[in-house]
Amino acid sequence: YACSALSNMDARHHRLALKVMRLTRPSLVSSEPVTCESQDILGDTLLDAMRQDMRTSKGIDRFALSGVLSLPQTFGNIFLGETFTCYVCVHNDSDDVTSGVQVQADLQTSAQRLPLGGSNIVNVLGPNESVDQVLHHEVKELGTHILICGVHYTTSEGEKLYFRKFFKFQVLKPLDVKTKFHEVNVSLS
């Protein structure tokens, strides 16, 4: 998960699971090459181990960056003007069929509540099936934002259930420029 989630779920276990992941660019995995000379006590042991490591690029064993990409494990920073993109997935963890699955996502800021998507109703969601969507929103306000994801569904017994989760994050200034002007009195004689 990309950020902290607060949930209003009661003691009842829901049949559906809601997962949210922020989508960001992957980064190159770095390795820390440790080598020694072949005449040292370890000989080529470190070099052989480094060549077997999947993070090491073939042909350039002592280079710190590899060709392996890694997705961020944390939510990271979001800056004003950036497009917030997230993946929302609802998965049926039970052995029963659920119906009328509806996912709704809103973004709450200090000034307003914006609908991001959802409202598509999935008629039937079988065991181990998922419904997912990718949401996009250009961030235009600083401060605390809360992604609110709610799920409505009906069990096979006809019971209508609802749960929601909250994902809180901060929007930061991308750049803060301050200028000062000073007058310099220079007299040329």
Side-chain angles (χ1 to χ4, degrees):
Y1 278 27
C3 64
S4 60
L6 310 168
S7 176
N8 72 338
M9 288 177 51
D10 53 21
R12 173 185 10 220
H13 175 72
H14 284 280
R15 297 175 184 187
L16 302 182
L18 173 68
K19 300 185 192 261
V20 175
M21 181 176 72
R22 179 176 175 215
L23 298 178
T24 58
R25 290 184 190 99
S27 59
L28 288 173
V29 173
S30 63
S31 62
E32 298 176 14
V34 178
T35 62
C36 65
E37 298 295 325
S38 58
Q39 63 266 22
D40 288 339
I41 293 174
L42 292 176
D44 291 330
T45 306
L46 293 176
L47 188 58
D48 291 339
M50 198 168 50
R51 286 182 180 145
Q52 293 174 0
D53 187 358
M54 69 171 265
R55 296 175 297 174
T56 304
S57 297
K58 304 301 178 223
I60 48 175
D61 303 329
R62 293 177 178 99
F63 190 62
L65 288 178
S66 71
V68 178
L69 294 176
S70 172
L71 291 174
Q73 299 299 314
T74 61
F75 193 70
N77 293 325
I78 297 180
F79 295 101
L80 189 66
E82 190 176 346
T83 298
F84 170 72
T85 305
C86 67
Y87 170 75
V88 178
C89 176
V90 175
H91 184 265
N92 186 352
D93 286 338
S94 72
D95 295 330
D96 299 325
V97 173
T98 58
S99 62
V101 178
Q102 181 180 11
V103 182
Q104 183 178 354
D106 296 327
L107 188 63
Q108 176 76 43
T109 68
S110 59
Q112 58 188 337
R113 186 170 179 157
L114 305 163
L116 293 185
S119 300
N120 295 338
I121 298 176
V122 176
N123 291 331
V124 176
L125 192 63
N128 291 319
E129 290 184 345
S130 298
V131 59
D132 53 5
Q133 59 185 323
V134 176
L135 305 174
H136 305 277
H137 176 72
E138 184 181 348
V139 179
K140 298 178 182 177
E141 289 182 44
L142 288 174
T144 303
H145 287 58
I146 302 171
L147 177 65
I148 305 166
C149 297
V151 178
H152 296 267
Y153 67 98
T154 306
T155 64
S156 56
E157 294 85 25
E159 183 181 13
K160 293 185 183 289
L161 296 175
Y162 172 75
F163 69 94
R164 63 184 176 172
K165 288 187 179 181
F166 303 87
F167 301 90
K168 188 175 182 179
F169 60 93
Q170 294 290 326
V171 174
L172 309 170
K173 286 185 193 179
L175 185 61
D176 198 7
V177 177
K178 294 180 182 179
T179 57
K180 291 184 181 181
F181 294 100
H182 297 282
E183 279 189 38
V184 177
N185 294 329
V186 177
S187 60
L188 297 172
S189 21

